[in-house]
Amino acid sequence: MHGALWVSKTGLSAQDTQLTTISNNLANVATVGFKRDRAVFHDLMYQVQKQPGAQSAQDSQLPSGLQLGTGVRVVGTQKEHTQGNLQITDQPLDMAVNGRGFFQITLPDGTTGYTRNGQFHKDADGNVVNPLGFQLEPNIVIPQDTTSITIGRDGTVSVTQGNETEATEIGNITLVSFVNPAGLQAIGDNLFVQTNSSGDPVVGEPGLDGIGSILQGSLENSNVDTVEELVNMITTQRAYEMNSKVISTADEMLGFISQTL
Amino acid sequence: MDKALYISMSGAKQNMFAQRSHANNLANANTTGFREDFAQARSQPVWGDYHPTRAYAMTERPASNFKPGALIETGRDLDVAIPDRGFFVVQDPEGNEALTRAGNFVRDVNGQLLTPQGLSVMGEDGPIFIPPASTVNISNDGTISLVPTEGQATDIVELGRLKLVNPDLSTMDKGTDGLFRVKDQLGVVFEQDPTVQVTSGFLESSNVNTITAMTEMMSHQRQYELQVKMMKTTEENAEKVASLLQIQ
């Protein structure tokens, strides 16, 4: 069959993957702490149809050969861990990380997940939990009669209770960083888990070693740039159209020969 | 049988090859740093003991188009583009140096700078390792500097420099893995060219001219149809000859 059919098929499926990535980014444009993905394309192997330098006759050589590419593939999607904009919410348990760090969340199976989403709540026992009810690590318990909660830039959590005027320190929030945050695996629900390519988490005190400080009463918006995504969507659509045009052209060629001869 | 049939078949077959080359260019219309391949046709005389009237067609890839593609801003620290001439040097699986224009680099768990396919990116003094840093900056001449995580904004550490080269384009050939190498020479160690400039936070788009590719595709389609028509005519001629010779 016509080789161009298979080549442009790889083009279509790569553009399809690109569009899926874009639509997921756009779907999460308002997700707190979401990091956008980017599809990475790479050309596939080239096949040597005619070897350059082969003999074209007894005493002459081909100056150039013919190497035909076999299309394109998506090497993978890359998470881009750039900062999102900070939004002030004035909720005492909303926290944003201004820097590279991640909050640690104890997952139901006992392992640790990492997130940039700082929308925390209090559960019935006073534990600080994420919107899914998973506890923040290290666990912070807010006493029953708390009137106000203050979280410092360095992660110190202090509360005032009852009629007291002095604040009591009840714990410290720590953050972790990774050598290669792009290697983290996104498991949905705004959570990431560690992989062999992300490296081990390095626990640090907020505000030190560039890990980022904690901003109480603010949230980090998704880092999706809608204009950029829409422009990417247009180029993806056009590339898709042109690849499908190649398929129909190749098909017409095959149709023409089988009808004419 | 008239050899014209074989000649038009060679034409049609080579048109298909050219078509595939354009299909590959269009499939890579969105591939970072992709260089479009040219296809040219050449006549190849048929050698032998007869009247030298016949020539077969032959499609070739004489070169790739080295025209720079448009720069796209991404804002990512490790995205680097070469706006003008020059190449990045990577190490292929055999350990030889090969060239690419795609600057969408990543870091692995050891901090080594890699291409998304996992080939190591070469610096002036071999592979580049970037330690944990709060910010990484790649300057116009390819110098990588960073602020270590435990440091202040003033503690800038210079890490090394990307190996940027600018070999003679007429000697370059695209290998079967899409990387560029010097034609017919293995294991060439490229020389750093201090005049090659880079821009970080940008990626270079593919340089495929989609309009040209589409137009050439249409023209190949028509040429192909002409070849097929030629085959049909040859067949009709053969039929006529056969009927003339038939005993009534």
Side-chain angles (χ1 to χ4, degrees):
Chain A
M1 284 299 260
H2 204 314
L5 283 175
W6 304 109
V7 173
S8 26
K9 187 226 125 216
T10 67
L12 289 184
S13 51
Q15 304 307 328
D16 248 357
T17 312
Q18 166 96 314
L19 192 64
T20 312
T21 314
I22 294 171
S23 57
N24 185 55
N25 286 348
L26 282 174
N28 283 295
V29 72
T31 305
V32 174
F34 178 80
K35 301 291 169 201
R36 68 172 182 257
D37 284 298
R38 176 169 89 182
V40 182
F41 291 167
H42 185 231
D43 43 352
L44 279 167
M45 294 304 268
Y46 288 74
Q47 292 177 320
V48 180
Q49 300 280 346
K50 265 188 218 88
Q51 185 62 46
Q55 301 293 128
S56 64
Q58 243 171 8
D59 50 2
S60 62
Q61 290 181 341
L62 294 176
S64 52
L66 177 63
Q67 289 97 313
L68 291 175
T70 49
V72 63
R73 78 184 162 124
V74 180
V75 185
T77 53
Q78 214 172 49
K79 271 271 174 218
E80 293 196 28
H81 284 271
T82 54
Q83 293 261 335
N85 293 328
L86 294 182
Q87 171 196 346
I88 308 293
T89 61
D90 289 334
Q91 292 288 316
L93 283 179
D94 277 351
M95 290 174 250
V97 180
N98 188 20
R100 297 176 307 125
F102 292 82
F103 294 109
Q104 306 151 81
I105 304 285
T106 312
L107 301 180
D109 60 0
T111 58
T112 306
Y114 305 95
T115 187
R116 294 280 295 187
N117 176 8
Q119 287 173 304
F120 291 102
H121 304 273
K122 223 170 16 171
D123 72 3
D125 303 323
N127 295 310
V128 174
V129 294
N130 82 349
L132 291 168
F134 305 157
Q135 281 179 15
L136 180 68
E137 190 180 314
N139 188 22
I140 310 264
V141 184
I142 293 171
Q144 281 294 330
D145 53 349
T146 298
T147 48
S148 77
I149 306 168
T150 310
I151 301 163
R153 290 175 156 265
D154 58 354
T156 316
V157 185
S158 42
V159 293
T160 51
Q161 291 165 277
N163 295 326
E164 285 174 27
T165 49
E166 272 195 28
T168 326
E169 195 179 316
I170 58 162
N172 276 299
I173 297 172
T174 54
L175 296 176
V176 296
S177 65
F178 293 90
V179 176
N180 178 23
L184 290 169
Q185 186 187 341
I187 56 166
D189 298 327
N190 267 337
L191 290 167
F192 295 97
V193 289
Q194 163 192 356
T195 66
N196 282 339
S197 90
S198 68
D200 291 328
V202 182
V203 182
E205 187 187 318
L208 292 182
D209 301 347
I211 206 164
S213 47
I214 292 180
L215 301 177
Q216 189 190 14
S218 12
L219 288 175
E220 185 188 14
N221 283 333
S222 124
N223 68 348
V224 176
D225 181 342
T226 43
V227 179
E228 191 182 319
E229 298 297 332
L230 287 172
V231 170
N232 284 340
M233 210 160 84
I234 295 169
T235 55
T236 307
Q237 187 189 358
R238 294 300 172 217
Y240 190 89
E241 284 172 9
M242 279 184 281
N243 278 290
S244 49
K245 179 80 187 161
V246 179
I247 289 190
S248 67
T249 309
D251 179 50
E252 278 166 30
M253 285 164 76
L254 290 174
F256 187 80
I257 193 165
S258 54
Q259 278 161 23
T260 311
L261 288 187
Chain B
M1 191 76 180
D2 195 334
K3 295 293 180 290
L5 191 57
Y6 288 96
I7 289 171
S8 22
M9 185 196 76
S10 115
K13 192 177 148 198
Q14 301 299 319
N15 274 146
M16 274 193 165
F17 279 147
Q19 203 68 306
R20 225 182 102 183
S21 172
H22 292 309
N24 186 57
N25 286 342
L26 283 173
N28 284 291
N30 274 345
T31 305
T32 304
F34 179 78
R35 298 291 88 151
E36 144 183 71
D37 291 321
F38 291 125
Q40 85 178 7
R42 194 150 58 91
S43 62
Q44 187 71 359
V46 181
W47 305 96
D49 289 334
Y50 40 78
H51 196 53
T53 51
R54 299 189 166 88
Y56 284 120
M58 190 172 80
T59 300
E60 294 174 324
R61 186 183 78 186
S64 300
N65 184 359
F66 288 106
K67 195 171 135 300
L71 297 192
I72 299 169
E73 196 196 349
T74 63
R76 193 173 154 267
D77 291 340
L78 294 180
D79 282 343
V80 202
I82 302 177
D84 195 12
R85 64 221 157 69
F87 291 91
F88 300 109
V89 182
V90 297
Q91 199 171 34
D92 71 10
E94 282 91 52
N96 295 322
E97 289 194 341
L99 307 182
T100 181
R101 289 279 295 191
N104 44 353
F105 301 139
V106 293
R107 251 189 305 177
D108 73 356
V109 61
N110 302 316
Q112 190 178 358
L113 198 63
L114 301 173
T115 67
Q117 298 89 51
L119 304 176
S120 47
V121 179
M122 300 302 278
E124 265 181 326
D125 316 308
I128 298 170
F129 289 86
I130 300 179
S134 37
T135 54
V136 179
N137 182 55
I138 300 176
S139 70
N140 284 358
D141 64 351
T143 308
I144 304 169
S145 54
L146 54 91
V147 178
T149 48
E150 64 277 5
Q152 300 298 315
T154 48
D155 301 339
I156 293 173
V157 178
E158 193 180 315
L159 198 72
R161 192 168 164 191
L162 287 172
K163 188 165 184 181
L164 301 166
V165 300
N166 185 28
D168 180 7
L169 291 180
S170 62
T171 64
M172 303 308 295
D173 191 34
K174 198 192 263 183
T176 54
D177 51 2
L179 299 170
F180 288 93
R181 293 180 179 79
V182 176
K183 225 179 265 183
D184 306 328
Q185 281 184 52
L186 276 175
V188 175
V189 176
F190 293 95
E191 294 233 341
Q192 175 94 15
D193 184 334
T195 62
V196 176
Q197 298 282 304
V198 298
T199 315
S200 80
F202 284 83
L203 283 182
E204 187 193 6
S205 65
S206 156
N207 72 342
V208 175
N209 186 332
T210 48
I211 310 293
T212 316
M214 293 295 291
T215 318
E216 283 182 4
M217 253 183 54
M218 284 173 204
S219 117
H220 279 299
Q221 185 187 5
R222 295 300 166 216
Q223 281 177 29
Y224 177 87
E225 288 176 6
L226 288 178
Q227 309 291 350
V228 174
K229 189 86 188 154
M230 196 64 206
M231 290 184 220
K232 181 72 189 163
T233 314
T234 317
E235 190 194 3
E236 282 163 6
N237 284 351
E239 268 171 20
K240 285 274 157 50
V241 172
S243 68
L244 279 177
L245 295 177
Q246 261 170 14
I247 304 163
Q248 297 295 322

